[in-house]
Structures are given as structure tokens and as C-alpha cells.
């Protein structure tokens, strides 16, 4: 029989998750972290979390898929989040030390950007202010085309470039452009949850395909869903494993797409962080079946909200039509400023600063893993922006200590569509100064030691 305390804990978890769903903080299709991860972060028993999730599923708030997890299924109206004068905003947990995907905004040349933007506003015409381009401002298309030719060896027509707010939005746009009901897609696992949310929003049936040391396992994918319409991949610096797809796998993937008249979405994730000799884009091998995507948000600043795709010519008219249907044009002055930033050589200079910053933060975390954190985790692999580590203590205890020490240690299983129990964690360094990483390591180690003294 449940004790009154366990019942109260379950009720609190139920009401808390229900509130998040009703407020729109977690949207339709969002995959909840595993019950083990939630229990560790909330410092409660896994049984209490499981009971709350079961009740949410029974009440229609969640849909549980065997071997995949629990997803938000509520699609009704949202209740406005409480607001008021004097209510301090909660800190963004994504900016806590060791979090992934943090941009190094402290080194961004704000003065240069402000000067370029000011100059544009002084010269902008009335015709420009009326611009509602369905793809992108032509000047930015020209700048991105030149950037791709110089930095990635891709020769594309400026008219092929479509701008949106982020890569998941581009994936969404592509699926809607194809107009295929009940489309099927290959997705990498572990992989980027942003892709999964975009695909779910379009009612795409996803097939999770494992990633090994050679990238996505194309042979498994073909056996699993040979007639899929899409393959969404990050072949050059896969997230979160950091692997680069082998040449054999690339050719196998391209052959499948050609034979099945299917499409490949290539997320050129963090190629800037891959170091010298970044792998060749798939789009350079076949520009007819590959939709190349990249973003400026994580290398400049996240609130920029500009990502882009290179659309193969056979799809371009469909994408433009779909884009006009959802009125997805981007802020013109920001596009103009970014174009000037690229054309003036400022982006190249900034990438050089980023490379130096990344090398410093990577070296700092490596030293911390060898000394301050050596009793907590064993580093397995360094990627462009984070380390993959194996805990040297129970995973739940480490995740609980992370929460108590105001750090973000990510569970690898939270980036999987299938439950595998890899017992690995991710510690990010990119975007954090050396001093912040050192302070965070001390705090995390102290929280773990405290938990051992007071279990």
C-alpha cells in the first residue's frame, strides 16, 4: 500500500507536469525525459514518477509508446502563464555550466554588428520595408552563397537559399512542401530532439536508426524502412556522438535516396567545431537529393534566429509555395545586417575567435576531467563542444548532484528515441569561460561528496 507521503509526491509530480503542459511550456509531441532522469532531478523515487506518468497517460495528457518513451498528447488551448510586476524571471537553465549548445556571446563583436545595423537603417528604402520575400532577402542569399563556396566548397545558386528561424523550422517546411501524407523518415538515435519535434508536428512516422563509429547505419535503415521519404542526418559532426559518417556510408545513403526518389536533410551541425579538415558535405556529392541546412544562431547569438537551407532545384517551387502559405518571411533589417557582416569579412574573423575560444574551453574541461572530476566521471570522447563521459558513481546520484550544484549534466539516454541504458553523460564546455567551468566543477564535486556523506 502506498504511504500518504508517496501519494502526495505522486500528486505533486502529476500536478506539476500537468501545469507545464497547460501553460505550453512543453508542447504537443514533446518527449519527456526518462522516469529515471526525472526522479534524479526531482530527488524522488522512480516509482512516484512512474505513477504520475501513468496517471497523466490515463487522463489523456501524455501518450506512452513502448520502448520509446512518453510524449505530450494534449492539443487543447493553453492557459496563460502567470505574469506580474515584481516577479523575477527564472534563470535560463540552458545557460548553466556544462549545458550543451551555449553560444560564446561574450566574444561576439557587438559594436561591429550595431554599426552595420545602424548604417542599414539610415539607408533603407520604402520598397525594402515592404519586402515580403518567401525565401530570403536577395543580398543575404548572395552572401550565403559566397560563404558556402569559400568555406564548404558548395557552388549553389543564391535563389536556392531559403532562410528560416532554425533548422527544425526548415525540416517542418520541407515536409509540408513534399505534401506526402503519413510520410516516413529515418532519424539518428542518439540524435537531435529538435528534428523529432518538427517531424512529429507534421505527423511524420519516425524510424530511429542507430549511430555507430561510422555514422548512421544505413543497412539497418534500409531493412527497417526502405521506402522512407526522408533521412534526416548530421553526417559531418553528429550530435551528440561527434562522429563523422564514413565515405562508404555516405555513398550507401546517397544511392538509397537516388534509387527510392527520397530526400536527405543534411544538418551540417557544428562543422566549424570539427577542427581542421572538416568532412565534405553530402550536398557536395549530390546536390539533387540533398537539402543542405546550417544555422548562424549558435556561432553568432541565439536570438538572431536565422538558419538556412539550400533547396535542390526540383523542390524549389514547392518550397516557395509552402513558405508563402505559412507567411514565414524573416526580419529584413537583420537579414541585411547579417549579409553585411558576412560580406565584410567579419564572420570569418569571428570564426577564428570562436576556434581559439573553443580550444581554450576544451583544454580547461579536459584538465578538470583529469583532476577535479576524475572521481566522478571517466572521459570517453571529446567532440567539438562537449565531452562524452562514463559515470564512476550511480547515474541517478550524479544527476541529482548536478541539479543541486546548479550545473547541467545531460543523460545520453535523453537524446535517444529508444531505451538503451547507455550509462553515459555529456558535459559541455563550448560557450563557457575557463573560470566558470572551474567553479562549476568544484560545485559539482562538492555536491557529490555531500551526498555520499549524507545519503
Amino acid at each position: 500500500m502506498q504511504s500518504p507521503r508517496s501519494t502526495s509526491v505522486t500528486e505533486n509530480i502529476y500536478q506539476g507536469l500537468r501545469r507545464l503542459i497547460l501553460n505550453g511550456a512543453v508542447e504537443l509531441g514533446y518527449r519527456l525525459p526518462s522516469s529515471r532522469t526525472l526522479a534524479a532531478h526531482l530527488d524522488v523515487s522512480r516509482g512516484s514518477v512512474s505513477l504520475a506518468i501513468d496517471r497523466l497517460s490515463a487522463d489523456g495528457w501524455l501518450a506512452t509508446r513502448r520502448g520509446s518513451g512518453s510524449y505530450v498528447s494534449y492539443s487543447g488551448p493553453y492557459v496563460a502563464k502567470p505574469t506580474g510586476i515584481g516577479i523575477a524571471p527564472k534563470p535560463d537553465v540552458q545557460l548553466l555550466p556544462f549545458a550543451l549548445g551555449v553560444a560564446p556571446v561574450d566574444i561576439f563583436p557587438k559594436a561591429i554588428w550595431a554599426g552595420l545595423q545602424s548604417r542599414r537603417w539610415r539607408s533603407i528604402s520604402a520598397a525594402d520595408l515592404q519586402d515580403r520575400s518567401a525565401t530570403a532577402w536577395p543580398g543575404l542569399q548572395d552572401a550565403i552563397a559566397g560563404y558556402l563556396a569559400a568555406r564548404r566548397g558548395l557552388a549553389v545558386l543564391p535563389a536556392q537559399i531559403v532562410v528560416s528561424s532554425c533548422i527544425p523550422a526548415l525540416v517542418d517546411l520541407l515536409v509540408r512542401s513534399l505534401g506526402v501524407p503519413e510520410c516516413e523518415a529515418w532519424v539518428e538515435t542518439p540524435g537531435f530532439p529538435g528534428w523529432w519535434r518538427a517531424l512529429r508536428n507534421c505527423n511524420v512516422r519516425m524510424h530511429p536508426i542507430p549511430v555507430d563509429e561510422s555514422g548512421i547505419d544505413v543497412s539497418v535503415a534500409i531493412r527497417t524502412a526502405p521506402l522512407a521519404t526522408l533521412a534526416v542526418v548530421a553526417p559531418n559532426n553528429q550530435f551528440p556522438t561527434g562522429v563523422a559518417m564514413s565515405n562508404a556510408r555516405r555513398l550507401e545513403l546517397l544511392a538509397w535516396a537516388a534509387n527510392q526518389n527520397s530526400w536527405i536533410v543534411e544538418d551540417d551541425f557544428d562543422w566549424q567545431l570539427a577542427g581542421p579538415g572538416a568532412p565534405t558535405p553530402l550536398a557536395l556529392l549530390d546536390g539533387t537529393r540533398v537539402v543542405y541546412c546550417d544555422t548562424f544562431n549558435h556561432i553568432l547569438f541565439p536570438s538572431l534566429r536565422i538558419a538556412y537551407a539550400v533547396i535542390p532545384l526540383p523542390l524549389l517551387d514547392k518550397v516557395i509555395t509552402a513558405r508563402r502559405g505559412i507567411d514565414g518571411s524573416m526580419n529584413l533589417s537583420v537579414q541585411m545586417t547579417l549579409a553585411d557582416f558576412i560580406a565584410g569579412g567579419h564572420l570569418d574573423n569571428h570564426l577564428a575567435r570562436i576556434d581559439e575560444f573553443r580550444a581554450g574551453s576544451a583544454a580547461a574541461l579536459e584538465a578538470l576531467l583529469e583532476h577535479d572530476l576524475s572521481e566522478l566521471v571517466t572521459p570517453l570522447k571529446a567532440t567539438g563542444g562537449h565531452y562524452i563521459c562514463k559515470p564512476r558513481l550511480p547515474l541517478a546520484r550524479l544527476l541529482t548532484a548536478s541539479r543541486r550544484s546548479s550545473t547541467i549534466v545531460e543523460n545520453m539516454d535523453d537524446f535517444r528515441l529508444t531505451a538503451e541504458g547507455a550509462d553515459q553523460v555529456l558535459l559541455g564546455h563550448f560557450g563557457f569561460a575557463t573560470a566558470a567551468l572551474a567553479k562549476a566543477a568544484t560545485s559539482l564535486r562538492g555536491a557529490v561528496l555531500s551526498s555520499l556523506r549524507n545519503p
Side-chain angles (χ1 to χ4, degrees):
M1 178 180 291
Q2 283 184 283
S3 68
R5 181 183 180 279
S6 65
T7 302
S8 176
V9 169
T10 299
E11 178 68 19
N12 288 338
I13 296 170
Y14 172 89
Q15 293 296 344
L17 289 174
R18 179 176 173 273
R19 247 189 328 268
L20 290 174
I21 295 170
L22 272 174
N23 289 341
V26 288
E27 300 176 340
L28 178 65
Y30 174 83
R31 177 178 181 264
L32 263 63
S34 65
S35 58
R36 178 171 57 178
T37 299
L38 280 173
H41 278 281
L42 295 174
D43 197 20
V44 298
S45 72
R46 190 175 179 183
S48 296
V49 173
S50 297
L51 287 170
I53 289 175
D54 289 345
R55 184 179 161 194
L56 287 163
S57 299
D59 291 349
W61 300 101
L62 300 176
T64 301
R65 304 173 192 172
R66 185 175 180 85
S68 177
S70 298
Y71 302 85
V72 174
S73 57
Y74 175 74
S75 58
Y78 292 135
V79 177
K81 297 177 184 179
T83 58
I85 297 173
I87 298 177
K90 292 183 179 180
D92 187 346
V93 296
Q94 293 181 341
L95 300 182
L96 293 177
F98 305 135
L100 309 180
V102 177
V105 295
D106 290 343
I107 63 172
F108 179 72
K110 292 182 289 186
I112 291 175
W113 183 271
L116 295 173
Q117 191 166 47
S118 177
R119 187 180 68 185
R120 274 294 175 182
W121 272 113
R122 288 195 300 269
S123 62
I124 200 167
S125 68
D128 287 332
L129 292 174
Q130 293 284 356
D131 183 84
R132 295 182 183 179
S133 300
T135 52
W137 181 61
L140 181 57
Q141 289 176 313
D142 290 338
I144 292 175
Y147 167 74
L148 288 175
R151 303 284 303 200
R152 298 301 275 143
L154 289 172
V156 304
L157 298 175
Q160 291 179 258
I161 294 168
V162 174
V163 166
S164 192
S165 60
C166 59
I167 289 179
L170 292 167
V171 172
D172 181 287
L173 174 63
L174 177 63
V175 174
R176 295 178 191 279
S177 303
L178 293 173
V180 180
E182 299 181 358
C183 171
E184 294 184 81
W186 300 350
V187 293
E188 299 170 333
T189 183
F192 178 44
W195 298 343
W196 308 338
R197 290 192 289 270
L199 293 170
R200 284 195 194 100
N201 288 341
C202 295
N203 297 316
V204 172
R205 182 184 177 191
M206 291 183 291
H207 296 279
I209 309 301
V211 172
D212 59 23
E213 66 279 357
S214 299
I216 188 171
D217 194 326
V218 180
S219 61
V220 170
I222 292 174
R223 290 196 301 270
T224 303
L227 303 181
T229 303
L230 284 175
V232 187
V233 297
N236 304 318
N237 186 21
Q238 200 271 343
F239 178 85
T241 66
V243 303
M245 190 183 297
S246 68
N247 288 333
R249 291 270 176 90
R250 289 168 188 261
L251 296 176
E252 192 178 5
L253 179 61
L254 292 170
W256 163 80
N259 291 336
Q260 296 298 328
N261 289 323
S262 299
W263 301 95
I264 301 168
V265 179
E266 175 182 18
D267 183 348
D268 201 7
F269 175 74
D270 274 2
W271 64 265
Q272 302 93 341
L273 304 185
T280 299
L282 280 174
L284 190 60
L285 303 176
D286 185 347
T288 61
R289 310 303 309 178
V290 178
V291 180
Y292 176 93
C293 299
D294 198 8
T295 176
F296 293 104
N297 299 330
H298 70 296
I299 57 173
L300 297 183
F301 50 95
S303 61
L304 177 66
R305 307 300 291 158
I306 290 187
Y308 63 91
V310 178
I311 308 297
L313 291 174
L315 273 181
L316 189 56
D317 286 344
K318 291 181 179 181
V319 170
I320 292 173
T321 299
R323 182 61 179 274
R324 285 177 176 148
I326 60 175
D327 190 26
S329 55
M330 303 295 295
N331 183 294
L332 178 67
S333 66
V334 174
Q335 291 189 69
M336 289 178 161
T337 305
L338 178 57
D340 293 341
F341 192 80
I342 296 170
H346 306 296
L347 179 58
D348 288 337
N349 294 338
H350 186 56
L351 289 174
R353 286 191 295 270
I354 283 178
D355 190 55
E356 183 178 354
F357 185 92
R358 178 201 59 81
S361 65
L365 182 54
E366 181 181 10
L368 292 169
L369 290 170
E370 291 178 357
H371 299 97
D372 301 56
L373 300 175
S374 61
E375 298 176 11
L376 310 187
V377 295
T378 300
L380 302 177
K381 181 179 180 180
T383 73
H386 62 269
Y387 271 80
I388 301 171
C389 303
K390 183 174 181 60
R392 300 190 66 180
L393 63 154
L395 177 62
R397 186 183 293 274
L398 179 59
L399 296 177
T400 299
S402 169
R403 179 180 60 82
R404 289 176 174 172
S405 63
S406 295
T407 62
I408 298 292
V409 175
E410 297 279 12
N411 183 355
M412 176 68 90
D413 281 353
D414 289 340
F415 297 93
R416 297 183 187 277
L417 277 170
T418 53
E420 296 185 24
D423 199 28
Q424 294 177 353
V425 294
L426 311 174
L427 277 73
H429 60 80
F430 185 61
F432 295 105
T434 299
L437 292 172
K439 183 177 179 181
T442 300
S443 178
L444 177 60
R445 185 171 182 273
V448 170
L449 293 177
S450 176
S451 71
L452 293 175
R453 289 192 297 268
N454 305 290

